[in-house]
């Protein structure tokens, strides 16, 4: 039986420590969605890159203001009363809720008694961006499916 030299043991030890750090870092970054999203505004760019939406996530509820107007989203994030006012005005176009748990974030829209849902999977939070490796969707009267394109959410405020 051969024994490892001191140098080989050191190399293997460093490799194991680096792997443990990478695995722990990935686990940490993929389970930060629930603590990162509430009380912030994110810019979402559609997977084809031609549409931008702004999402102001409530600090203390499951509601979210979704709008193409950046200033409206930023104003909603300034205070609870602004959020309530803008959320109520936007509700004529449907109400939005979110659930952030583990490495998933789900957005749902209820309009005219019908629900549409987008679930972003394997969400990785790095700095002021969130990356989702794929998302599943179920859109009222339009179908359902899965999209394997990466999606990025950029924190605005």
């Amino acid at each position: 039986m051969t024994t490892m030299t001191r140098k080989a043991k050191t190399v293997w030890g460093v490799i194991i420590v680096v792997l443990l750090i990478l695995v722990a870092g990935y686990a940490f970054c993929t389970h930060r969605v629930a603590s990162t999203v509430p009380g912030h505004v994110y810019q979402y760019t559609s997977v084809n890159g031609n549409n931008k939406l702004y999402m102001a996530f409530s600090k203390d509820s499951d509601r979210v203001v979704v709008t193409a107007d950046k200033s409206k989203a930023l104003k909603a994030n300034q205070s609870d009363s602004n959020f309530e006012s803008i959320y109520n005005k936007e509700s004529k176009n449907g109400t939005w809720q979110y659930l952030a748990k583990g490495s998933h974030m789900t957005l749902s829209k209820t309009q005219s008694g019908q629900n549409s849902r987008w679930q972003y999977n394997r969400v990785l939070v790095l700095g002021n961006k969130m990356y989702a490796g794929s998302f599943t969707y179920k859109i009222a009267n339009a179908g359902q499916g899965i999209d394997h394109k990466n999606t990025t959410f950029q924190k605005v405020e």
Side-chain angles (χ1 to χ4, degrees):
M1 209 187 240
T2 60
T3 58
M4 281 203 274
T5 65
R6 184 178 187 106
K7 184 178 180 181
K9 286 181 183 179
T10 302
V11 169
W12 278 108
V14 168
I15 290 171
I16 290 170
V17 167
V18 168
L19 285 174
L20 286 173
I21 290 170
L22 290 174
V23 168
Y26 180 78
F28 175 74
C29 290
T30 57
H31 287 79
R32 290 186 49 207
V33 178
S35 63
T36 302
V37 169
H40 295 286
V41 176
Y42 282 86
Q43 175 187 306
Y44 164 81
T45 305
S46 63
V47 288
N48 58 10
N50 61 355
N51 292 323
K52 289 184 181 177
L53 290 175
Y54 296 91
M55 301 174 183
F57 293 91
S58 172
K59 290 178 245 183
D60 48 353
S61 75
D62 66 347
R63 299 181 305 163
V64 58
V65 170
V66 178
T67 179
D69 186 345
K70 181 179 179 180
S71 62
K72 195 179 287 187
L74 291 171
K75 184 176 179 183
N77 199 47
Q78 289 175 346
S79 70
D80 291 341
S81 61
N82 283 358
F83 185 91
E84 290 297 321
S85 174
I86 292 171
Y87 186 84
N88 290 333
K89 286 177 188 172
E90 292 293 310
S91 67
K92 68 180 181 230
N93 299 320
T95 58
W96 287 87
Q97 292 79 36
Y98 77 97
L99 174 65
K101 185 174 181 182
S103 63
H104 301 284
M105 181 173 69
T106 304
L107 296 170
S108 62
K109 179 181 183 181
T110 304
Q111 184 176 14
S112 302
Q114 297 194 341
N115 194 302
S116 298
R117 185 179 58 138
W118 297 261
Q119 179 176 303
Y120 297 90
N121 306 306
R122 299 184 327 268
V123 178
L124 180 67
V125 179
L126 292 172
N128 61 354
K129 291 187 180 181
M130 293 189 302
Y131 303 95
S134 67
F135 65 94
T136 56
Y137 58 90
K138 183 177 181 183
I139 301 173
N141 298 324
Q144 61 187 18
I146 186 166
D147 195 325
H148 293 284
K149 294 179 183 161
N150 290 325
T151 305
T152 302
F153 296 85
Q154 171 80 40
K155 187 185 289 186
V156 177
E157 182 178 280

